[in-house]
Amino acid sequence: MSFELPELPYAYDALAPYMSAETLEYHHDKHHQAYVTNGNNLLKDSGLEGKTLEEVVKESFGKNAGLFNNAAQHYNHVHFWKWMKKDGGGTKLPGALASKIDSDLGGYDKFRADFLNAGATQFGSGWAWLALKDGKLEVMKTPNGENPLVHGATPLLGCDVWEHSYYIDYRNARPKYLEAFVDNMINWDYVLELYEAAS
C-alpha cells in the first residue's frame, strides 16, 4: 500500500476562529503532504510494503526511525482532521462515551483538565491522547509522532501539539489552543465511532 493525503472533511475556513484557514492550508497541504511523500519513499524496500498503515506504524517503531516518524505522523493526521468539526467540542458527548468517561476518568471535567494538562506539559513536539487500553480509557501524551498504538492502546482522540498546529493562530499560547480544541472543535461522533470499533 502507499500513503495518500486525504481530503479535509470540511472547508479550510470551517474551524475559524478556533483554527484558521491559513493554519489548515499549511498543516494539511504542506506538513501532512510531506509525511506522505517521505513515508512513501521510506516504505520502498523497507520490507513493510503491503502492510496496513497501523502495521507499518507498529512494526517500524524502534527499528526504522525515518519510516516510523513519517508513517506515524501520517496515521495521526488522517485521524486528526476527522477529530475536528465545526461547532464541535464541549460536553455534547454521545451517551456511551459520556458514561465511559464518568466510570474510567472521573467525569468530563476531570477528563478535560487531564487532557489539557497532558497537551500543555508535553515537552517539545508531540500529542495529547484519549486512548483505550485493556478496556479502560486513559489520557496519555507522547513525543513527536509517537501514538498509543505503540504502547498497546487504541487512539480514540488526539490533539496535535506540534507548533505548526497552533503557532499562526495562538503564537506560543499552547494552553489556549488546547482549550479551543476541547471546547469548540472535537468531533465526538468520530471519537464514539473509534471507541465502538475498539470495544
Side-chain angles (χ1 to χ4, degrees), residues 1-6 32-33 35-43 48 51-54 56-57 67-68 70-72 74-75 78:
M1 62 152 267
S2 61
F3 305 152
E4 283 179 35
L5 184 71
H32 192 175
Q33 181 63 64
Y35 302 134
V36 167
T37 304
N38 296 332
N40 281 327
N41 291 334
L42 292 160
L43 190 60
L48 298 175
K51 301 268 187 182
T52 66
L53 178 55
E54 287 87 345
V56 173
V57 170
L67 177 58
F68 172 76
N70 286 281
H74 175 48
Y75 174 92
V78 163

Side-chain angles (χ1 to χ4, degrees), residues 131-151:
L132 190 68
K133 186 171 187 178
D134 302 324
K136 287 198 76 168
L137 294 180
E138 264 184 50
V139 173
M140 309 166 78
K141 60 183 176 180
T142 57
N144 303 316
E146 239 176 76
N147 63 43
L149 285 179
V150 299
H151 300 290

Side-chain angles (χ1 to χ4, degrees), residues 8-187:
L8 282 178
Y10 32 70
Y12 287 112
D13 61 359
L15 303 177
Y18 307 107
M19 188 176 281
S20 65
E22 188 183 2
T23 288
L24 275 173
E25 281 172 21
Y26 272 95
H27 198 167
H28 175 270
D29 300 7
K30 303 282 192 293
H31 290 282
H32 192 175
Q33 181 63 64
Y35 302 134
V36 167
T37 304
N38 296 332
N40 281 327
N41 291 334
L42 292 160
L43 190 60
K44 286 176 201 148
D45 307 318
S46 66
L48 298 175
E49 308 91 328
K51 301 268 187 182
T52 66
L53 178 55
E54 287 87 345
E55 287 168 339
V56 173
V57 170
K58 289 179 189 171
E59 292 177 33
S60 62
F61 182 59
K63 299 188 189 89
N64 182 336
L67 177 58
F68 172 76
N69 290 337
N70 286 281
Q73 279 289 76
H74 175 48
Y75 174 92
N76 295 349
H77 284 82
V78 163
H79 292 288
F80 184 57
W81 312 127
K82 296 181 192 172
W83 278 323
M84 298 183 290
K85 70 173 187 178
K86 184 177 173 61
D87 301 325
T91 55
K92 307 181 284 280
L93 278 72
L97 212 50
S99 53
K100 187 73 172 158
I101 285 175
D102 287 346
S103 64
D104 291 357
L105 300 175
Y108 176 82
D109 291 344
K110 184 163 189 322
F111 152 74
R112 181 183 182 276
D114 291 347
F115 190 87
L116 294 177
N117 184 59
T121 58
Q122 172 51 46
F123 184 74
S125 299
W127 291 74
W129 301 99
L130 174 67
L132 190 68
K133 186 171 187 178
D134 302 324
K136 287 198 76 168
L137 294 180
E138 264 184 50
V139 173
M140 309 166 78
K141 60 183 176 180
T142 57
N144 303 316
E146 239 176 76
N147 63 43
L149 285 179
V150 299
H151 300 290
T154 304
L156 303 181
L157 172 67
C159 184
D160 187 347
V161 296
W162 287 56
E163 285 189 338
H164 62 237
S165 192
Y166 62 87
Y167 215 82
I168 290 170
D169 302 325
Y170 299 90
R171 295 299 180 237
N172 62 334
R174 187 193 285 182
K176 276 197 174 135
Y177 155 69
L178 283 157
E179 285 179 5
F181 177 83
V182 173
D183 296 340
N184 302 288
M185 289 190 276
I186 294 175
N187 180 354

